Amino acid sequence: MLKFLSVFYFFVMQLFSFSRTSSVCGLLLFGLLPYVGNAQDECLDPGGDCTLATPIEFQNTIFVSCGDTVRLNPTQELCNTWTIDNDVNFSYGFGDDSLAVFVIIDQCYQEALYVDGVTNTPSGTGIASCDTRIVYHLVPAVDTIQQGLDCANFAALDSLQANLPSSCGCDSLLVNYFLDDVIDTTYLYAQSCIPSEVGISMDTLTASSGCDSILITSTELNDSPELFLEDVYACVGEMALLQAYALEEGTYMWNTGSNDYSLEVSEPGTYSVTFTDENGCTATQSATVGFTDISVELTPTVAEHLLLSTNPLEVWQGSAIEMEVLVSNTPYPYEIIWDGGPEIGDTTFNYIASSSGSFQVAAIDSIGCAGVAEVEILVRPIGVYVPTAFSPNGDNNNDFFSVYSSPNVEEVRLQIFSRTGGTVFDERLEQTEQLSQGIIWQGWDGTYRGKRLNPQLFAYQLWYRAIQGEWKNISGEVSLVK
């Protein structure tokens, strides 16, 4: 008489095709959908510029049942591009949920779906990039339970089987076996990082007499470890330090062969590291290393009438020189430090040339890289010339006791005294002519209270002030002749 030994459900699960949103059906997870790699067809940039880049991926597994509605969130980037097949029943959200999608689980799919996060930059720059990718795996619960034993002489046994269709199309298979002898069955539970190994497997241990024992293994999916690695910049001539970080214990292996969590490099390029956790699951990240060779250029500007030469730079004493700095070759924010000035951060500085010497400006970026620019300045002292005689006879030749100065003199005051000490002239002089390298200041015409004075010797005192300078004076004698 046949004994009823066991009933088992043979698991038949069709994985989901998924590319426009996610889709799942079933009852209990025993398998993970195929991994979607870094391939991308396009990167959305509303500004019109996009540079395709390898994104940071985050894997998400969602367990669902037939009839569920699943909300899938976007990334935290500025723009999001969903990749979803046309046969997926989904819709976009509204209002605060406008960037999310909602998937109705009404069929089985095999593929995952993903959303690319895009950092948007102003149009024309060409530097937008796909920074972040979220990969969603919609995994159905198992709706077929396997029980019972399968022997080497399976074909000779009596059996009854029936298909149990699911409303989502993920069919179950019920098989009843009627065996003559009792068979030992062992159930094992395991974990794996490889989606293809997830599910239920069965091994038959057959003796010479037939069915001996059966080993049924249920394998669940281990989550991939999270690994973090950032791009690094360093100053030229220094070492750049890359540091990988994982949230759990494990080992690191760089593409250079180093097995430490950190890596010092002296060459620019892309470096990658693979982390393996205690379960044997791995995660890989890449980072770019660049070196900053900060460049500083200094451009001086001087009023033309105060400039004596440009190479070398020579100016009159007291000249105002506008210094303008240009900083380049660093992606980081920087500070500008001017020589001799309180201004920090401005790109221009007004320098007053009081004496010959060098002028410097430095720029230091936020990672400590510095550059310096320098300009040598030659300063010519102020010059004033006073004649010793003049002849105010109306022949248009030396009719005035005029003063001649360098172009950096801003004001002149002239006082004339008679031999008895009386003041015959005291005025601030006006410029009568601006020469290429000097100024003529109109002086005394030899009269006193409208009357022309006789030839004689007069004493004078001349006061003058340079640009941005203090008053100075000289004195002497001048002869009035016919």
Side-chain angles (χ1 to χ4, degrees):
M1 175 178 179
L2 295 176
K3 296 181 181 178
F4 175 77
L5 297 179
S6 61
V7 177
F8 75 93
Y9 297 79
F10 187 73
F11 173 66
V12 179
M13 182 171 69
Q14 298 177 348
L15 297 175
F16 326 154
S17 89
F18 196 146
S19 179
R20 206 179 50 161
T21 313
S22 62
S23 162
V24 176
C25 58
L27 299 174
L28 178 63
L29 168 66
F30 283 107
L32 178 64
L33 295 179
Y35 170 74
V36 176
N38 291 336
Q40 322 177 59
D41 292 328
E42 62 182 356
C43 168
L44 173 64
D45 176 16
D49 297 311
C50 182
T51 299
L52 202 61
T54 300
I56 298 175
E57 285 195 353
F58 296 91
Q59 303 285 333
N60 283 283
T61 301
I62 302 177
F63 304 91
V64 297
S65 297
C66 187
D68 287 348
T69 298
V70 183
R71 181 184 189 274
L72 301 181
N73 291 323
T75 74
Q76 296 299 313
E77 305 302 324
L78 296 177
C79 306
N80 285 271
T81 302
W82 288 92
T83 303
I84 309 174
D85 283 340
N86 292 328
D87 60 349
V88 175
N89 188 356
F90 86 103
S91 62
Y92 291 102
F94 298 94
D96 293 339
D97 293 329
S98 61
L99 296 180
V101 297
F102 294 82
V103 180
I104 300 175
I105 309 304
D106 59 2
Q107 57 180 307
C108 288
Y109 299 99
Q110 187 171 3
E111 299 293 331
L113 81 151
Y114 56 88
V115 56
D116 285 326
V118 179
T119 296
N120 184 22
T121 55
S123 178
T125 63
I127 342 178
S129 64
C130 298
D131 295 325
T132 305
R133 168 176 289 174
I134 301 178
V135 180
Y136 287 103
H137 301 273
L138 298 182
V139 180
V142 176
D143 59 5
T144 299
I145 300 176
Q146 295 193 9
Q147 293 180 335
L149 303 173
D150 188 8
C151 302
N153 54 351
F154 168 80
L157 302 178
D158 294 329
S159 65
L160 174 66
Q161 65 182 35
N163 288 323
L164 305 177
S166 165
S167 61
C168 287
C170 303
D171 293 341
S172 303
L173 179 64
L174 172 65
V175 181
N176 292 339
Y177 292 107
F178 300 90
L179 307 178
D180 291 330
D181 299 314
V182 176
I183 302 171
D184 292 333
T185 302
T186 301
Y187 293 91
L188 297 179
Y189 296 91
Q191 293 181 321
S192 175
C193 308
I194 303 174
S196 62
E197 295 180 354
V198 174
I200 297 178
S201 64
M202 183 168 57
D203 294 322
T204 301
L205 307 177
T206 306
S208 58
S209 59
C211 291
D212 182 29
S213 61
I214 195 79
L215 178 65
I216 298 177
T217 303
S218 174
T219 304
E220 296 181 350
L221 180 68
N222 265 333
D223 292 333
S224 297
E226 288 192 82
L227 179 63
F228 303 92
L229 182 65
E230 295 183 347
D231 295 341
V232 172
Y233 280 83
C235 307
V236 168
E238 298 180 359
M239 300 293 289
L241 181 63
L242 287 165
Q243 289 185 305
Y245 174 69
L247 300 178
E248 51 197 290
E249 295 295 325
T251 60
Y252 298 84
M253 179 58 68
W254 296 85
N255 61 336
T256 61
S258 174
N259 59 4
D260 195 3
Y261 76 96
S262 62
L263 179 69
E264 283 192 336
V265 297
S266 59
E267 296 294 332
T270 300
Y271 295 83
S272 62
V273 60
T274 297
F275 174 78
T276 304
D277 65 16
E278 295 177 338
N279 296 317
C281 299
T282 62
T284 300
Q285 290 288 359
S286 297
T288 298
V289 174
F291 289 89
T292 297
D293 188 11
I294 188 169
S295 175
V296 181
E297 296 180 19
L298 185 61
T299 303
T301 303
V302 186
E304 185 176 354
H305 70 283
L306 298 175
L307 179 64
L308 294 168
S309 69
T310 56
N311 190 18
L313 179 62
E314 184 176 9
V315 297
W316 287 102
Q317 186 179 33
S319 299
I321 305 176
E322 182 182 82
M323 300 290 187
E324 184 174 7
V325 67
L326 175 64
V327 180
S328 59
N329 294 338
T330 177
Y332 291 100
Y334 54 83
E335 292 284 354
I336 298 174
I337 302 175
W338 293 97
D339 182 8
E343 291 88 347
I344 295 179
D346 293 334
T347 58
T348 59
F349 178 77
N350 288 322
Y351 173 73
I352 305 302
S354 58
S355 61
S356 297
S358 62
F359 181 86
Q360 293 181 329
V361 62
I364 303 176
D365 64 21
S366 59
I367 64 172
C369 300
V372 177
E374 182 179 38
V375 61
E376 287 289 334
I377 304 173
L378 300 178
V379 175
R380 186 177 295 183
I382 190 170
V384 175
Y385 169 73
V386 180
T388 58
F390 73 109
S391 56
N393 53 17
D395 62 357
N396 294 325
N397 186 20
N398 294 326
D399 284 339
F400 287 88
F401 177 41
S402 297
V403 176
Y404 303 86
S405 74
S406 55
N408 55 334
V409 173
E410 192 168 53
E411 289 186 86
V412 174
R413 177 185 176 187
L414 178 63
Q415 294 176 308
I416 306 294
F417 305 97
S418 66
R419 297 181 67 180
T420 59
T423 301
V424 296
F425 182 83
D426 186 357
E427 292 185 10
R428 292 194 180 212
L429 305 186
E430 299 291 334
Q431 296 184 19
T432 59
E433 188 174 355
Q434 177 78 54
L435 304 177
S436 61
Q437 292 299 325
I439 302 173
I440 300 177
W441 302 83
Q442 171 120 12
W444 181 42
D445 62 359
T447 63
Y448 177 67
R449 293 182 178 178
K451 294 182 179 181
R452 189 175 304 278
L453 299 179
N454 293 325
Q456 55 186 296
L457 187 65
F458 294 90
Y460 71 84
Q461 188 167 33
L462 180 71
W463 297 83
Y464 62 92
R465 184 177 65 83
I467 299 173
Q468 305 294 332
E470 298 179 350
W471 283 98
K472 298 181 180 180
N473 72 85
I474 56 175
S475 59
E477 295 180 337
V478 59
S479 296
L480 189 156
V481 296
K482 295 233 181 201

